[in-house]
Amino acid sequence: MGYLGRRQAKGILLEGLRHLEYRGYDSTGIATWEGTDFSVVRAVGHLDALIEKIGDLEICGTAGIGHTRWATHGAITEGNAHPHRSCDGKVVIVHNGVVENFLQIGTFLGAQNYRSSSETDSEVLANLIAYHCAKEDGAGGHSAFLEGVRRALLHVRGAYGIVAMHVDFPGEMVGARNSSPLILGIGDGEFFFSSDTAGFASHAKDAIFLNDGEMAHLVGGDFSICTLSRERVEAARRAVEWREALVEKNGYAHFMLKEIYEQPTTLRNAMRGRFSPDGSGTHFGGLQMSTRELLQIDRIVFCACGSARFACAIGEYLIERIARIPVEVEYASEFRYRNAPLDKNTLVVAVSQSGETIDTLSALLEAKRKGFRVMAITNGVGSSIAREADGGIYQHAGPEIGVAATKTFTSQVCLMAMLAIHLGRLRDLSCEDGTEMVDALQRLPSLVEEALELDDAVRSVAEKYAHCDHMFFLGRQSMFPVAMEGALKLKEVAYVHADGYAAAEMKHGPIALIGKDCPAFFLACDGRMLEKIQSNVQEVRARGARIVVAVCGDDRGVSSVADDVLILPRSHDITQALISTIAVQLFAYHMGVLRGCNVDCPRNLAKSVTVE
Ligand code: M6R
C-alpha cells in the first residue's frame, strides 16, 4: 500500500491492509512521513498486532506506505517485516516479489558501506535505491529520486512490486512493477498504490494497472508514468468498483463458509449470457478466435497451480469426452522450464482465479514467446494474466476473500464444461446431446443449493473424524480431481495430512498407509464406475479404515459398506463432479473449524502467490 494526499495516511493504510488481509501474510508494518523523518512501526503476526503496537503512538503524516509480508527470504521476525529502511536512513520501501540477484547486489553494496540488518532481499533493494539516489544530481529534468529508483531497478533480476519514499523528497512517492502487480489508485487530490484494487477501492475513483517495467511517480499533486528506459506512458484509466457487501461476512461465521454458500449465485454469473439462443450450445464473448481457428485446435494444454489445476483436470475429462480434443494439464511451474514440444495448433490455456500467480503467468508468457495462442480463464478482471492472454473467459465470481479457493474453483469447473460444449458443438456433439448438457448446466445452481442443505450432516460426519491427522480422498474418472481438491482443502484449512488418489491406484502402494487412524473419503458419484469403486471401498475397508462415502442416486450398494454416507443430488455426468465438490468443501470447512484452525487465513498460505 502507498498513500499520498491531504488526509492522515495511517488510517488509510491500515484500512487498505485490512482489505488485503485475504492474500495471506505473517507480519505487517507501516511508515509515514512526519515532516522531518519517517515513523516506522512493524509487528509480527496479523494486523491487530500492528494496531496494538501503534496504540496511542502519534503516527502522523499525509504520506505513507504499508505492507503485509509473506516470508520468503528470512524468518518471520519484526526485523524482516516491511517497510525496510536503507542503512543511511534515506529510503523506505515496501516490496512484493523476490530479488533473485540480491546476494550479488548485497556484496556490491557492502563494499560501498551500504549494509543490511535483515535477512531479506527487500532491504537490499532499499539500499540499492539509496545508493543510486545519493549519486543523482537531478540533472536532465528528471526527479533525482525517480532517477535513483530507475537506475537501481535496472540492476534487479526478479520480481517486484515496490513503493518507495525518500527523506530528501518528501512530497514524492515512486511505485514500480515487474511480474508482481501494482496498481495506482487516483482519488480526489490523492493517490494510492496497492497490489489489488481492494486496497483503495473505497477511496479511489480510477485505477491504472502498471505494466511490467513501468514506474509511477507522484509529485506536486499529480502523477506520471514512464518505463525503465524513461519513455513516457499514457496509461488507460479504469473506473474502480467498490462492492462492500462482497468483502463483508454478511452474518456468516467465516468468509470460506459465505463463499461456499455463494456458489449457486457465482455459477449463475459464470453462465449468464453464455448459452446459444437455440439452447444447444454455449458461446463466449472474449475468446478472440474465429470458428475456423477454434476448429483448428488439435490439442489443449492447461497450465495452472493448486485448485485451479484440479479444475483443469476435470476439464480434461470433459473436453476429451465431449469435444474429442486431447488435453494435457500441466503444473504451470514445471511447464515454464520443461520446454515441452507443442505443435502449431496447440491452444495453451492459463487458469488462475487471481490472475496474478507468477508460475501461471510465467508459463503463459513462455508459451506466448514461442508464438502459441494463449487463452486465460480467470476471476481477476484486468489482472496480469488477463492482460497478457490473447483472449479468455472471465469467471465473474466476485472477490474471494477466504484463502482457500471454493467458489472460484466451481466456477472454473463450470466454465470447463461450457468450453467443452462449445468446442464439442463445433465438432461432433449433436444438437440433442448439446441441449441435454445445457439443460444440466441450467439446473446446476439449484442442485448446488440442494447439496448445500447437507451442511449439518457434513458437520456431524466431520465431528467423528476431527481428531484424525491423516486421510485419503479417493475417486475415479472426474471424481479423481475432486478427490485431489478435497485433500488440498483439508490440508489447507484443517492442517490434516491428506492425499487425493485415483481409487484404483491405492493398491499400487498407498494402501500400505491405510489403518484405523487413516480413514478414506470416497467420491462415489460417477454412475459408470460404481461397481469398480465398490471394490476399491472393500479393499480399503478390509484393512481397517473407516469409510466416508459421498454418493448420489442409486449407489449400487456402495453406501452399505461405509461408516458414514452423504447423499448428494443426482445430476448429469458433466455436472456431477462440481456437485460432489460441495461435500468436500463443507467437510474441510467443518474439520478446520472443529480443529480450531483459522479457516479464512490458514498459516503459511497466501491467496495470491506472486513469487516463483
Ligand atoms: O490464483 P490462482 O488460481 O492462480 O491460485 C492457484 C493456487 O495458488 C490456489 O489454487 C491455491 O492452491 C489455493 N490456496 C487453493 O485453495
Side-chain angles (χ1 to χ4, degrees), residues 199-212:
F200 54 61
S202 54
H203 300 289
K205 289 187 296 213
D206 291 322
I208 291 175
F209 291 70
L210 295 189
N211 290 311
D212 283 349

PDB file of all heavy atoms in Angstrom, residues 199-212:
ATOM      1  N   GLY A 199      -7.336  -2.656  -1.961  1.00  0.00           N
ATOM      2  CA  GLY A 199      -6.596  -1.835  -1.003  1.00  0.00           C
ATOM      3  C   GLY A 199      -7.069  -0.385  -0.968  1.00  0.00           C
ATOM      4  O   GLY A 199      -6.897   0.305   0.032  1.00  0.00           O
ATOM      5  N   PHE A 200      -7.621   0.099  -2.083  1.00  0.00           N
ATOM      6  CA  PHE A 200      -8.025   1.512  -2.095  1.00  0.00           C
ATOM      7  C   PHE A 200      -9.410   1.733  -2.690  1.00  0.00           C
ATOM      8  O   PHE A 200      -9.832   2.875  -2.896  1.00  0.00           O
ATOM      9  CB  PHE A 200      -6.986   2.367  -2.840  1.00  0.00           C
ATOM     10  CG  PHE A 200      -6.662   1.899  -4.244  1.00  0.00           C
ATOM     11  CD1 PHE A 200      -7.643   1.847  -5.236  1.00  0.00           C
ATOM     12  CD2 PHE A 200      -5.359   1.524  -4.585  1.00  0.00           C
ATOM     13  CE1 PHE A 200      -7.342   1.442  -6.528  1.00  0.00           C
ATOM     14  CE2 PHE A 200      -5.057   1.099  -5.879  1.00  0.00           C
ATOM     15  CZ  PHE A 200      -6.053   1.060  -6.847  1.00  0.00           C
ATOM     16  N   ALA A 201     -10.137   0.649  -2.965  1.00  0.00           N
ATOM     17  CA  ALA A 201     -11.381   0.792  -3.726  1.00  0.00           C
ATOM     18  C   ALA A 201     -12.417   1.658  -3.018  1.00  0.00           C
ATOM     19  O   ALA A 201     -13.278   2.245  -3.677  1.00  0.00           O
ATOM     20  CB  ALA A 201     -11.960  -0.586  -4.035  1.00  0.00           C
ATOM     21  N   SER A 202     -12.336   1.773  -1.690  1.00  0.00           N
ATOM     22  CA  SER A 202     -13.332   2.593  -1.010  1.00  0.00           C
ATOM     23  C   SER A 202     -12.993   4.085  -1.113  1.00  0.00           C
ATOM     24  O   SER A 202     -13.767   4.927  -0.689  1.00  0.00           O
ATOM     25  CB  SER A 202     -13.467   2.172   0.448  1.00  0.00           C
ATOM     26  OG  SER A 202     -12.207   2.183   1.061  1.00  0.00           O
ATOM     27  N   HIS A 203     -11.828   4.444  -1.656  1.00  0.00           N
ATOM     28  CA  HIS A 203     -11.415   5.844  -1.733  1.00  0.00           C
ATOM     29  C   HIS A 203     -11.174   6.339  -3.157  1.00  0.00           C
ATOM     30  O   HIS A 203     -11.443   7.493  -3.458  1.00  0.00           O
ATOM     31  CB  HIS A 203     -10.109   6.060  -0.957  1.00  0.00           C
ATOM     32  CG  HIS A 203     -10.215   5.714   0.491  1.00  0.00           C
ATOM     33  ND1 HIS A 203     -10.934   6.475   1.383  1.00  0.00           N
ATOM     34  CD2 HIS A 203      -9.713   4.680   1.203  1.00  0.00           C
ATOM     35  CE1 HIS A 203     -10.852   5.931   2.584  1.00  0.00           C
ATOM     36  NE2 HIS A 203     -10.122   4.833   2.503  1.00  0.00           N
ATOM     37  N   ALA A 204     -10.612   5.482  -4.002  1.00  0.00           N
ATOM     38  CA  ALA A 204     -10.187   5.960  -5.328  1.00  0.00           C
ATOM     39  C   ALA A 204     -11.309   5.835  -6.348  1.00  0.00           C
ATOM     40  O   ALA A 204     -12.137   4.934  -6.261  1.00  0.00           O
ATOM     41  CB  ALA A 204      -8.965   5.164  -5.784  1.00  0.00           C
ATOM     42  N   LYS A 205     -11.316   6.742  -7.300  1.00  0.00           N
ATOM     43  CA  LYS A 205     -12.345   6.687  -8.354  1.00  0.00           C
ATOM     44  C   LYS A 205     -11.837   5.880  -9.545  1.00  0.00           C
ATOM     45  O   LYS A 205     -12.580   5.156 -10.187  1.00  0.00           O
ATOM     46  CB  LYS A 205     -12.665   8.111  -8.830  1.00  0.00           C
ATOM     47  CG  LYS A 205     -13.444   8.928  -7.799  1.00  0.00           C
ATOM     48  CD  LYS A 205     -13.879  10.255  -8.379  1.00  0.00           C
ATOM     49  CE  LYS A 205     -12.675  11.090  -8.726  1.00  0.00           C
ATOM     50  NZ  LYS A 205     -12.720  12.490  -8.608  1.00  0.00           N
ATOM     51  N   ASP A 206     -10.546   6.072  -9.843  1.00  0.00           N
ATOM     52  CA  ASP A 206      -9.965   5.429 -11.023  1.00  0.00           C
ATOM     53  C   ASP A 206      -8.713   4.661 -10.637  1.00  0.00           C
ATOM     54  O   ASP A 206      -8.093   4.950  -9.608  1.00  0.00           O
ATOM     55  CB  ASP A 206      -9.569   6.484 -12.065  1.00  0.00           C
ATOM     56  CG  ASP A 206     -10.782   7.147 -12.683  1.00  0.00           C
ATOM     57  OD1 ASP A 206     -11.781   6.447 -12.906  1.00  0.00           O
ATOM     58  OD2 ASP A 206     -10.724   8.369 -12.900  1.00  0.00           O
ATOM     59  N   ALA A 207      -8.358   3.731 -11.518  1.00  0.00           N
ATOM     60  CA  ALA A 207      -7.140   2.961 -11.271  1.00  0.00           C
ATOM     61  C   ALA A 207      -6.362   2.813 -12.565  1.00  0.00           C
ATOM     62  O   ALA A 207      -6.949   2.746 -13.642  1.00  0.00           O
ATOM     63  CB  ALA A 207      -7.490   1.586 -10.721  1.00  0.00           C
ATOM     64  N   ILE A 208      -5.056   2.757 -12.407  1.00  0.00           N
ATOM     65  CA  ILE A 208      -4.187   2.452 -13.554  1.00  0.00           C
ATOM     66  C   ILE A 208      -3.366   1.228 -13.177  1.00  0.00           C
ATOM     67  O   ILE A 208      -2.656   1.230 -12.157  1.00  0.00           O
ATOM     68  CB  ILE A 208      -3.265   3.640 -13.888  1.00  0.00           C
ATOM     69  CG1 ILE A 208      -4.116   4.791 -14.457  1.00  0.00           C
ATOM     70  CG2 ILE A 208      -2.188   3.236 -14.874  1.00  0.00           C
ATOM     71  CD1 ILE A 208      -3.336   6.065 -14.720  1.00  0.00           C
ATOM     72  N   PHE A 209      -3.482   0.190 -13.967  1.00  0.00           N
ATOM     73  CA  PHE A 209      -2.730  -1.041 -13.719  1.00  0.00           C
ATOM     74  C   PHE A 209      -1.366  -0.889 -14.392  1.00  0.00           C
ATOM     75  O   PHE A 209      -1.283  -0.819 -15.615  1.00  0.00           O
ATOM     76  CB  PHE A 209      -3.466  -2.250 -14.313  1.00  0.00           C
ATOM     77  CG  PHE A 209      -4.739  -2.594 -13.593  1.00  0.00           C
ATOM     78  CD1 PHE A 209      -5.851  -1.765 -13.670  1.00  0.00           C
ATOM     79  CD2 PHE A 209      -4.824  -3.757 -12.835  1.00  0.00           C
ATOM     80  CE1 PHE A 209      -7.028  -2.082 -13.002  1.00  0.00           C
ATOM     81  CE2 PHE A 209      -5.995  -4.081 -12.160  1.00  0.00           C
ATOM     82  CZ  PHE A 209      -7.098  -3.243 -12.245  1.00  0.00           C
ATOM     83  N   LEU A 210      -0.315  -0.822 -13.594  1.00  0.00           N
ATOM     84  CA  LEU A 210       1.014  -0.679 -14.191  1.00  0.00           C
ATOM     85  C   LEU A 210       1.391  -1.963 -14.925  1.00  0.00           C
ATOM     86  O   LEU A 210       1.026  -3.059 -14.496  1.00  0.00           O
ATOM     87  CB  LEU A 210       2.067  -0.407 -13.109  1.00  0.00           C
ATOM     88  CG  LEU A 210       1.962   0.898 -12.328  1.00  0.00           C
ATOM     89  CD1 LEU A 210       3.209   1.098 -11.474  1.00  0.00           C
ATOM     90  CD2 LEU A 210       1.785   2.088 -13.247  1.00  0.00           C
ATOM     91  N   ASN A 211       2.134  -1.805 -16.004  1.00  0.00           N
ATOM     92  CA  ASN A 211       2.675  -2.971 -16.716  1.00  0.00           C
ATOM     93  C   ASN A 211       4.094  -3.237 -16.244  1.00  0.00           C
ATOM     94  O   ASN A 211       4.722  -2.365 -15.621  1.00  0.00           O
ATOM     95  CB  ASN A 211       2.690  -2.687 -18.221  1.00  0.00           C
ATOM     96  CG  ASN A 211       1.285  -2.649 -18.775  1.00  0.00           C
ATOM     97  OD1 ASN A 211       0.497  -3.555 -18.524  1.00  0.00           O
ATOM     98  ND2 ASN A 211       0.960  -1.593 -19.498  1.00  0.00           N
ATOM     99  N   ASP A 212       4.589  -4.418 -16.581  1.00  0.00           N
ATOM    100  CA  ASP A 212       5.971  -4.733 -16.217  1.00  0.00           C
ATOM    101  C   ASP A 212       6.907  -3.685 -16.799  1.00  0.00           C
ATOM    102  O   ASP A 212       6.737  -3.250 -17.950  1.00  0.00           O
ATOM    103  CB  ASP A 212       6.358  -6.117 -16.772  1.00  0.00           C
ATOM    104  CG  ASP A 212       5.759  -7.222 -15.935  1.00  0.00           C
ATOM    105  OD1 ASP A 212       5.242  -6.923 -14.839  1.00  0.00           O
ATOM    106  OD2 ASP A 212       5.808  -8.381 -16.377  1.00  0.00           O
TER     107      ASP A 212
END
